[in-house]
Amino acid sequence: VGAEPPTRPGGTAHGYDSEIVMWSCKKSIERMKCDYIDLFQIHWPSRDVQMMSTPTFAPEGVNRGMPFFDKGTPADFERTVVSIKELFDAGLIKHWGVSNENAFGITMLCSTCLKLGCPLPVSCQNDFSILNQTYEEDTYEAAYRFGMVGLPYGPLAGGTLTGKYFEKSKPEYAAKDAAVRPLDQCRHRVKADFQPRYGEKLPMEATLAVVELAEAWGITPAELAIAWAIARPCNASVIIGTTTVRQGEEGVAAALLD
């Protein structure tokens, strides 16, 4: 959920109300040319909670970095759950999940589902990798208690864990896709301020350790990072972003590792 209907001004914050959730779901079905969606995931929490690189909560969206719609009251969670329940009642979705959530959000959403008779969310799509295991703290417990599985994005930390950003000391990793995806076109070079946490000193030192371990084991750093994330008890699978066929093949190879 993110696109806005024509009745809304572009770029405004919303609270997953019935109009925008129904419109977004139907538009997704229209684009995919299908009859229903197997897993419908809402994206950012609409309340004034922190985002991405900032681990510390502060009210009024101080650490959010984007607009917020509400303050996370019981009524706010009811609005979201009612909107999702309408999709189930219309036969438009089979399951639903959340993204970038924390223990409070998961607990409130699930408790509200139980109150209103809506199916519980089944998945949580948070940032998670061998460099970022914060999900395994209280967020995992909340998800586990309500029967939700992790379906994280970021197992390669935006490509950092492939080793390609060691282009001077280990140029072979950047060279793998250089013909179709030169390093200067990759995420952390094009948008250096998007996920700066992965390029800082300590994450890069940890990444180097991952690269060297993968080399010792005879696999690629990407295979090690993806296989590690899949194997964590909190996760059912992972979401990877690929820009070349080779990267897709590498992801499959990682999933097949014991």
Side-chain angles (χ1 to χ4, degrees):
V1 176
E4 299 178 35
T7 57
R8 309 285 183 94
T12 57
H14 64 79
Y16 298 112
D17 59 84
S18 293
E19 180 189 30
I20 199 164
V21 170
M22 182 64 73
W23 185 86
S24 180
C25 182
K26 287 183 176 179
K27 280 295 183 180
S28 293
I29 289 173
E30 179 185 316
R31 287 192 296 270
M32 294 188 291
K33 297 181 173 59
C34 59
D35 297 322
Y36 60 85
I37 295 172
D38 289 301
L39 177 60
F40 185 79
Q41 295 195 144
I42 60 177
H43 201 191
W44 300 107
S46 58
R47 62 190 186 278
D48 58 339
V49 67
Q50 75 275 12
M51 290 294 173
M52 303 291 283
S53 298
T54 305
T56 306
F57 170 72
E60 303 296 334
V62 171
N63 291 334
R64 184 172 172 86
M66 65 174 64
F68 63 91
F69 184 84
D70 58 62
K71 301 294 184 64
T73 68
D76 295 324
F77 286 102
E78 287 192 8
R79 180 185 59 247
T80 297
V81 170
V82 166
S83 300
I84 295 296
K85 188 174 185 300
E86 289 174 351
L87 301 183
F88 280 104
D89 292 344
L92 298 179
I93 64 173
K94 298 298 183 182
H95 306 280
W96 76 290
V98 300
S99 303
N100 300 294
E101 262 298 358
N102 60 24
F104 172 75
I106 288 173
T107 300
M108 289 297 292
L109 284 169
C110 290
S111 297
T112 305
C113 284
L114 295 173
K115 174 185 175 181
L116 300 181
C118 178
L120 293 171
V122 298
S123 59
C124 183
Q125 180 186 322
N126 279 25
D127 195 3
F128 181 87
S129 71
I130 203 168
L131 300 183
N132 178 8
Q133 301 173 42
T134 54
Y135 177 81
E136 292 185 310
E137 297 173 358
D138 56 348
T139 304
Y140 173 35
E141 182 189 3
Y144 174 81
R145 300 299 181 192
F146 287 103
M148 296 171 63
V149 299
L151 187 62
Y153 67 92
L156 293 177
T160 300
L161 286 164
T162 65
K164 64 186 177 184
Y165 293 107
F166 294 117
E167 71 272 24
K168 294 181 180 179
S169 59
K170 293 182 178 293
E172 63 270 26
Y173 296 112
K176 287 183 177 183
D177 297 305
V180 291
R181 181 77 167 178
L183 195 62
D184 61 4
Q185 295 179 14
C186 292
R187 176 183 300 181
H188 295 319
R189 294 294 161 83
V190 175
K191 295 182 177 181
D193 59 344
F194 176 57
Q195 293 177 323
R197 60 191 182 276
Y198 295 137
E200 294 175 354
K201 183 175 184 291
L202 288 179
M204 291 303 290
E205 289 178 355
T207 296
L208 181 58
V210 171
V211 171
E212 291 175 345
L213 182 60
E215 291 172 346
W217 285 353
I219 58 177
T220 70
E223 288 172 343
L224 174 56
I226 294 171
W228 178 90
I230 292 173
R232 299 304 293 167
C234 58
N235 296 328
S237 188
V238 299
I239 296 171
I240 60 172
T242 62
T243 53
T244 69
V245 172
R246 188 205 64 77
Q247 291 173 1
E249 293 171 344
E250 195 170 31
V252 172
L256 296 176
L257 288 173
D258 292 331

